[in-house]
Amino acid sequence: MSKPKLTLRTLAGCGLLMALSVVLARLLSFAPTQTTRYSLETLPIFLSGLLYGPLAGALVGFGSDALGCFLSPYGYNPLLSLPPLLLGLWAGLRSRAVAQKPTVWQLALALLPPFALGYIGLQSASLAWLYHKEAFAPFFCTNLAARGIQYGLIFAADLILTRLLLPALRRLDI
């Protein structure tokens, strides 16, 4: 694997993807409850890892979440920044396999572990701990089920959109 190059094009691409993630999370989202938000904020993070590698993906994930938290009334919590960081990192680590064989299954393998472990598991536990320490177990189980459905839908949307966008982005050399 060649050493990733830090170029102006890479920095600009990562900056655009970070900004897009913040816009998708804060302006173009649907939040029916305090702990549930439907958005495509994960798509730019996933694409940054696939296009620019694990370090860039992790930085875009962490940076977009941190920036978005500073722009929202909820504030910043480092526990909730881990899943986007892990998504960008894991996508970058799987980018070579996706580039060699860009099938839906390879994309799913690059997307599923951070969704299952980070967004569904870790964030459910973090939200239960933050908002309902006294009733952690019931809130965790309820949140786990709700977030499983939520991120199942987001997973499908991200998978379809990545499958459609990634070839065009690679041809543009973004």
Side-chain angles (χ1 to χ4, degrees), residues 13 77 81 102:
N77 187 309
S81 288

Side-chain angles (χ1 to χ4, degrees), residues 13 15 26 48 92 111 142:
R26 302 301 182 246
S48 69
L111 193 57
T142 303

Side-chain angles (χ1 to χ4, degrees), residues 23-41 150 154:
V23 168
L24 290 172
R26 302 301 182 246
L27 300 177
L28 299 173
S29 64
F30 170 65
T33 68
Q34 184 179 16
T35 59
T36 305
R37 180 177 64 221
Y38 291 90
S39 76
L40 293 173
E41 69 187 273
Q150 171 191 355
I154 294 170

